[in-house]
mmCIF file of all heavy atoms in Angstrom:
data_model
loop_
_atom_site.group_PDB
_atom_site.id
_atom_site.type_symbol
_atom_site.label_atom_id
_atom_site.label_comp_id
_atom_site.label_asym_id
_atom_site.label_seq_id
_atom_site.Cartn_x
_atom_site.Cartn_y
_atom_site.Cartn_z
ATOM 1 N N LEU A 21 -20.529 48.932 133.704
ATOM 2 C CA LEU A 21 -20.876 50.258 134.169
ATOM 3 C C LEU A 21 -20.127 51.242 133.452
ATOM 4 O O LEU A 21 -20.671 52.223 132.837
ATOM 5 C CB LEU A 21 -20.746 50.353 135.580
ATOM 6 C CG LEU A 21 -21.034 51.740 136.253
ATOM 7 C CD1 LEU A 21 -22.487 51.935 136.021
ATOM 8 C CD2 LEU A 21 -20.708 51.775 137.709
ATOM 9 N N ASP A 22 -18.718 51.038 133.159
ATOM 10 C CA ASP A 22 -18.030 52.023 132.340
ATOM 11 C C ASP A 22 -18.525 52.052 130.997
ATOM 12 O O ASP A 22 -18.527 53.217 130.456
ATOM 13 C CB ASP A 22 -16.565 51.563 132.354
ATOM 14 C CG ASP A 22 -15.727 51.905 133.661
ATOM 15 O OD1 ASP A 22 -16.282 52.668 134.498
ATOM 16 O OD2 ASP A 22 -14.660 51.236 133.939
ATOM 17 N N ASN A 23 -18.826 50.955 130.354
ATOM 18 C CA ASN A 23 -19.379 50.990 129.042
ATOM 19 C C ASN A 23 -20.697 51.788 128.945
ATOM 20 O O ASN A 23 -20.974 52.480 127.974
ATOM 21 C CB ASN A 23 -19.524 49.495 128.467
ATOM 22 C CG ASN A 23 -18.182 48.846 128.142
ATOM 23 O OD1 ASN A 23 -17.280 49.540 127.976
ATOM 24 N ND2 ASN A 23 -18.209 47.513 128.254
ATOM 25 N N PHE A 24 -21.576 51.427 129.850
ATOM 26 C CA PHE A 24 -22.826 52.206 129.876
ATOM 27 C C PHE A 24 -22.593 53.737 130.108
ATOM 28 O O PHE A 24 -23.240 54.542 129.497
ATOM 29 C CB PHE A 24 -23.667 51.650 131.122
ATOM 30 C CG PHE A 24 -24.310 50.301 130.784
ATOM 31 C CD1 PHE A 24 -24.501 49.506 131.841
ATOM 32 C CD2 PHE A 24 -24.752 49.918 129.549
ATOM 33 C CE1 PHE A 24 -25.056 48.203 131.552
ATOM 34 C CE2 PHE A 24 -25.329 48.787 129.204
ATOM 35 C CZ PHE A 24 -25.516 47.793 130.252
ATOM 36 N N GLU A 25 -21.675 54.156 130.958
ATOM 37 C CA GLU A 25 -21.422 55.548 131.158
ATOM 38 C C GLU A 25 -20.847 56.153 129.840
ATOM 39 O O GLU A 25 -21.214 57.274 129.497
ATOM 40 C CB GLU A 25 -20.339 55.652 132.179
ATOM 41 C CG GLU A 25 -21.068 55.498 133.648
ATOM 42 C CD GLU A 25 -20.015 55.563 134.759
ATOM 43 O OE1 GLU A 25 -18.811 55.480 134.578
ATOM 44 O OE2 GLU A 25 -20.464 55.756 135.940
ATOM 45 N N ASN A 26 -19.959 55.348 129.094
ATOM 46 C CA ASN A 26 -19.522 55.937 127.860
ATOM 47 C C ASN A 26 -20.590 56.044 126.844
ATOM 48 O O ASN A 26 -20.605 57.008 126.153
ATOM 49 C CB ASN A 26 -18.376 54.947 127.360
ATOM 50 C CG ASN A 26 -17.052 55.022 128.223
ATOM 51 O OD1 ASN A 26 -16.856 55.960 128.785
ATOM 52 N ND2 ASN A 26 -16.316 53.985 128.116
ATOM 53 N N GLN A 27 -21.512 55.006 126.709
ATOM 54 C CA GLN A 27 -22.609 55.122 125.914
ATOM 55 C C GLN A 27 -23.493 56.338 126.217
ATOM 56 O O GLN A 27 -24.045 56.960 125.315
ATOM 57 C CB GLN A 27 -23.370 53.773 125.939
ATOM 58 C CG GLN A 27 -22.762 52.672 125.233
ATOM 59 C CD GLN A 27 -23.491 51.356 125.277
ATOM 60 O OE1 GLN A 27 -24.560 51.235 126.044
ATOM 61 N NE2 GLN A 27 -23.065 50.286 124.613
ATOM 62 N N LEU A 28 -23.758 56.510 127.497
ATOM 63 C CA LEU A 28 -24.594 57.548 127.944
ATOM 64 C C LEU A 28 -23.987 58.944 127.551
ATOM 65 O O LEU A 28 -24.678 59.787 126.992
ATOM 66 C CB LEU A 28 -24.789 57.513 129.542
ATOM 67 C CG LEU A 28 -25.644 58.694 130.059
ATOM 68 C CD1 LEU A 28 -27.049 58.689 129.517
ATOM 69 C CD2 LEU A 28 -25.594 58.563 131.534
ATOM 70 N N GLN A 29 -22.607 59.084 127.748
ATOM 71 C CA GLN A 29 -21.865 60.205 127.299
ATOM 72 C C GLN A 29 -22.077 60.416 125.847
ATOM 73 O O GLN A 29 -22.342 61.641 125.388
ATOM 74 C CB GLN A 29 -20.501 60.220 127.765
ATOM 75 C CG GLN A 29 -19.692 61.364 127.306
ATOM 76 C CD GLN A 29 -20.103 62.575 128.271
ATOM 77 O OE1 GLN A 29 -20.613 62.544 129.343
ATOM 78 N NE2 GLN A 29 -19.925 63.765 127.594
ATOM 79 N N GLU A 30 -21.861 59.477 125.070
ATOM 80 C CA GLU A 30 -22.026 59.556 123.591
ATOM 81 C C GLU A 30 -23.447 59.965 123.211
ATOM 82 O O GLU A 30 -23.633 60.868 122.304
ATOM 83 C CB GLU A 30 -21.672 58.210 122.844
ATOM 84 C CG GLU A 30 -20.116 57.972 122.900
ATOM 85 C CD GLU A 30 -19.886 56.504 122.359
ATOM 86 O OE1 GLU A 30 -20.688 55.984 121.799
ATOM 87 O OE2 GLU A 30 -18.672 56.085 122.465
ATOM 88 N N ASN A 31 -24.387 59.379 123.792
ATOM 89 C CA ASN A 31 -25.709 59.749 123.562
ATOM 90 C C ASN A 31 -26.156 61.162 123.942
ATOM 91 O O ASN A 31 -26.849 61.897 123.236
ATOM 92 C CB ASN A 31 -26.834 58.772 124.248
ATOM 93 C CG ASN A 31 -26.698 57.433 123.699
ATOM 94 O OD1 ASN A 31 -26.323 57.113 122.558
ATOM 95 N ND2 ASN A 31 -27.216 56.360 124.465
ATOM 96 N N GLN A 32 -25.537 61.609 125.014
ATOM 97 C CA GLN A 32 -25.874 63.012 125.488
ATOM 98 C C GLN A 32 -25.287 63.935 124.495
ATOM 99 O O GLN A 32 -25.773 64.977 124.174
ATOM 100 C CB GLN A 32 -25.263 63.209 126.894
ATOM 101 C CG GLN A 32 -26.184 62.644 127.843
ATOM 102 C CD GLN A 32 -25.529 62.575 129.338
ATOM 103 O OE1 GLN A 32 -24.301 62.753 129.494
ATOM 104 N NE2 GLN A 32 -26.375 62.589 130.399
ATOM 105 N N GLU A 33 -23.979 63.655 123.973
ATOM 106 C CA GLU A 33 -23.330 64.454 123.004
ATOM 107 C C GLU A 33 -24.185 64.492 121.687
ATOM 108 O O GLU A 33 -24.400 65.546 121.068
ATOM 109 C CB GLU A 33 -21.951 64.014 122.696
ATOM 110 C CG GLU A 33 -20.982 64.234 123.853
ATOM 111 C CD GLU A 33 -19.622 63.519 123.707
ATOM 112 O OE1 GLU A 33 -19.478 62.937 122.576
ATOM 113 O OE2 GLU A 33 -18.712 63.564 124.748
ATOM 114 N N SER A 34 -24.721 63.375 121.266
ATOM 115 C CA SER A 34 -25.452 63.258 120.069
ATOM 116 C C SER A 34 -26.771 64.123 120.342
ATOM 117 O O SER A 34 -27.299 64.876 119.338
ATOM 118 C CB SER A 34 -25.881 61.880 119.854
ATOM 119 O OG SER A 34 -24.854 61.067 119.413
ATOM 120 N N MET A 35 -27.416 63.998 121.558
ATOM 121 C CA MET A 35 -28.629 64.800 121.837
ATOM 122 C C MET A 35 -28.325 66.265 121.669
ATOM 123 O O MET A 35 -29.079 67.093 121.167
ATOM 124 C CB MET A 35 -29.105 64.418 123.222
ATOM 125 C CG MET A 35 -29.790 63.033 123.227
ATOM 126 S SD MET A 35 -31.234 63.082 122.274
ATOM 127 C CE MET A 35 -32.303 64.233 122.938
ATOM 128 N N SER A 36 -27.184 66.671 122.205
ATOM 129 C CA SER A 36 -26.791 68.176 122.131
ATOM 130 C C SER A 36 -26.688 68.619 120.696
ATOM 131 O O SER A 36 -27.172 69.721 120.390
ATOM 132 C CB SER A 36 -25.476 68.306 122.958
ATOM 133 O OG SER A 36 -25.497 68.041 124.282
ATOM 134 N N VAL A 37 -26.092 67.803 119.855
ATOM 135 C CA VAL A 37 -25.914 68.197 118.503
ATOM 136 C C VAL A 37 -27.413 68.272 117.840
ATOM 137 O O VAL A 37 -27.567 69.236 117.124
ATOM 138 C CB VAL A 37 -25.175 67.270 117.726
ATOM 139 C CG1 VAL A 37 -25.165 67.369 116.239
ATOM 140 C CG2 VAL A 37 -23.680 67.221 118.175
ATOM 141 N N LEU A 38 -28.286 67.327 118.158
ATOM 142 C CA LEU A 38 -29.616 67.417 117.518
ATOM 143 C C LEU A 38 -30.412 68.514 118.163
ATOM 144 O O LEU A 38 -31.010 69.256 117.360
ATOM 145 C CB LEU A 38 -30.370 66.056 117.931
ATOM 146 C CG LEU A 38 -29.766 64.761 117.130
ATOM 147 C CD1 LEU A 38 -30.479 63.670 117.672
ATOM 148 C CD2 LEU A 38 -29.866 64.963 115.633
ATOM 149 N N GLU A 39 -30.249 68.809 119.386
ATOM 150 C CA GLU A 39 -31.000 69.994 119.882
ATOM 151 C C GLU A 39 -30.476 71.274 119.331
ATOM 152 O O GLU A 39 -31.442 72.237 119.171
ATOM 153 C CB GLU A 39 -30.833 70.033 121.598
ATOM 154 C CG GLU A 39 -31.579 68.942 122.196
ATOM 155 C CD GLU A 39 -31.281 68.824 123.723
ATOM 156 O OE1 GLU A 39 -30.283 69.399 124.120
ATOM 157 O OE2 GLU A 39 -32.054 68.216 124.496
ATOM 158 N N ALA A 40 -29.261 71.340 119.123
ATOM 159 C CA ALA A 40 -28.659 72.623 118.419
ATOM 160 C C ALA A 40 -29.265 72.772 117.067
ATOM 161 O O ALA A 40 -29.366 73.791 116.596
ATOM 162 C CB ALA A 40 -27.155 72.577 118.322
ATOM 163 N N GLU A 41 -29.707 71.711 116.367
ATOM 164 C CA GLU A 41 -30.163 71.728 115.015
ATOM 165 C C GLU A 41 -31.685 72.077 114.922
ATOM 166 O O GLU A 41 -32.186 72.502 114.005
ATOM 167 C CB GLU A 41 -29.998 70.438 114.190
ATOM 168 C CG GLU A 41 -28.518 70.145 113.929
ATOM 169 C CD GLU A 41 -27.978 71.147 112.873
ATOM 170 O OE1 GLU A 41 -28.783 71.383 111.933
ATOM 171 O OE2 GLU A 41 -26.800 71.805 113.096
ATOM 172 N N ILE A 42 -32.411 72.009 116.030
ATOM 173 C CA ILE A 42 -33.812 72.086 116.024
ATOM 174 C C ILE A 42 -34.210 73.535 115.596
ATOM 175 O O ILE A 42 -35.208 73.724 114.750
ATOM 176 C CB ILE A 42 -34.439 71.852 117.471
ATOM 177 C CG1 ILE A 42 -34.344 70.305 117.633
ATOM 178 C CG2 ILE A 42 -35.833 72.305 117.603
ATOM 179 C CD1 ILE A 42 -34.734 69.836 119.069
ATOM 180 N N PRO A 43 -33.637 74.616 116.017
ATOM 181 C CA PRO A 43 -34.100 75.944 115.604
ATOM 182 C C PRO A 43 -33.874 76.106 114.159
ATOM 183 O O PRO A 43 -34.669 76.622 113.506
ATOM 184 C CB PRO A 43 -33.091 76.917 116.478
ATOM 185 C CG PRO A 43 -32.786 76.176 117.554
ATOM 186 C CD PRO A 43 -32.744 74.693 117.213
ATOM 187 N N HIS A 44 -32.686 75.636 113.593
ATOM 188 C CA HIS A 44 -32.519 75.787 112.187
ATOM 189 C C HIS A 44 -33.486 74.905 111.437
ATOM 190 O O HIS A 44 -34.069 75.390 110.395
ATOM 191 C CB HIS A 44 -31.054 75.070 111.805
ATOM 192 C CG HIS A 44 -30.739 75.144 110.382
ATOM 193 N ND1 HIS A 44 -30.552 76.254 109.676
ATOM 194 C CD2 HIS A 44 -30.485 74.057 109.653
ATOM 195 C CE1 HIS A 44 -30.341 76.032 108.386
ATOM 196 N NE2 HIS A 44 -30.294 74.632 108.317
ATOM 197 N N LEU A 45 -33.840 73.707 111.857
ATOM 198 C CA LEU A 45 -34.893 72.878 111.179
ATOM 199 C C LEU A 45 -36.239 73.574 111.228
ATOM 200 O O LEU A 45 -36.977 73.524 110.220
ATOM 201 C CB LEU A 45 -34.905 71.555 111.742
ATOM 202 C CG LEU A 45 -33.705 70.632 111.555
ATOM 203 C CD1 LEU A 45 -33.857 69.382 112.340
ATOM 204 C CD2 LEU A 45 -33.390 70.423 109.977
ATOM 205 N N ARG A 46 -36.714 74.230 112.347
ATOM 206 C CA ARG A 46 -37.879 74.925 112.428
ATOM 207 C C ARG A 46 -37.932 76.009 111.495
ATOM 208 O O ARG A 46 -38.978 76.222 110.843
ATOM 209 C CB ARG A 46 -38.194 75.443 113.915
ATOM 210 C CG ARG A 46 -38.560 74.257 114.822
ATOM 211 C CD ARG A 46 -38.870 74.895 116.113
ATOM 212 N NE ARG A 46 -39.366 73.797 117.059
ATOM 213 C CZ ARG A 46 -39.173 73.741 118.284
ATOM 214 N NH1 ARG A 46 -38.373 74.698 118.933
ATOM 215 N NH2 ARG A 46 -39.501 72.702 118.998
ATOM 216 N N HIS A 47 -36.787 76.793 111.240
ATOM 217 C CA HIS A 47 -36.694 77.877 110.340
ATOM 218 C C HIS A 47 -36.902 77.411 108.890
ATOM 219 O O HIS A 47 -37.696 77.950 108.203
ATOM 220 C CB HIS A 47 -35.336 78.524 110.545
ATOM 221 C CG HIS A 47 -35.086 79.552 109.553
ATOM 222 N ND1 HIS A 47 -35.750 80.821 109.587
ATOM 223 C CD2 HIS A 47 -34.347 79.681 108.390
ATOM 224 C CE1 HIS A 47 -35.314 81.584 108.635
ATOM 225 N NE2 HIS A 47 -34.521 80.906 107.916
ATOM 226 N N ILE A 48 -36.237 76.261 108.600
ATOM 227 C CA ILE A 48 -36.413 75.702 107.303
ATOM 228 C C ILE A 48 -37.981 75.243 107.035
ATOM 229 O O ILE A 48 -38.461 75.511 105.925
ATOM 230 C CB ILE A 48 -35.532 74.516 107.011
ATOM 231 C CG1 ILE A 48 -34.091 74.938 107.044
ATOM 232 C CG2 ILE A 48 -35.949 73.619 105.762
ATOM 233 C CD1 ILE A 48 -33.085 73.855 106.914
ATOM 234 N N VAL A 49 -38.510 74.621 108.079
ATOM 235 C CA VAL A 49 -39.970 74.254 107.927
ATOM 236 C C VAL A 49 -40.874 75.512 107.793
ATOM 237 O O VAL A 49 -41.701 75.481 106.798
ATOM 238 C CB VAL A 49 -40.493 73.509 109.085
ATOM 239 C CG1 VAL A 49 -41.878 73.352 109.160
ATOM 240 C CG2 VAL A 49 -39.687 72.154 109.164
ATOM 241 N N CYS A 50 -40.522 76.563 108.452
ATOM 242 C CA CYS A 50 -41.363 77.923 108.240
ATOM 243 C C CYS A 50 -41.212 78.499 106.874
ATOM 244 O O CYS A 50 -42.192 78.908 106.207
ATOM 245 C CB CYS A 50 -41.012 78.906 109.293
ATOM 246 S SG CYS A 50 -41.614 78.405 110.885
#
């Protein structure tokens, strides 16, 4: 359970980084 929680936390952090990049990537596509 601790391992899963750690993986979940890491995944959520990765998602936050990716979500922050979305506006920039949309701008580049435009």
Side-chain angles (χ1 to χ4, degrees):
L21 181 60
D22 284 343
N23 289 339
F24 286 141
E25 287 175 343
N26 290 337
Q27 287 176 351
L28 178 61
Q29 180 67 29
E30 289 173 8
N31 290 343
Q32 286 174 337
E33 289 170 3
S34 296
M35 287 297 297
S36 295
V37 169
L38 292 174
E39 287 173 346
E41 288 295 315
I42 289 174
H44 176 68
L45 293 173
R46 284 187 177 145
H47 177 73
I48 291 173
V49 168
C50 286

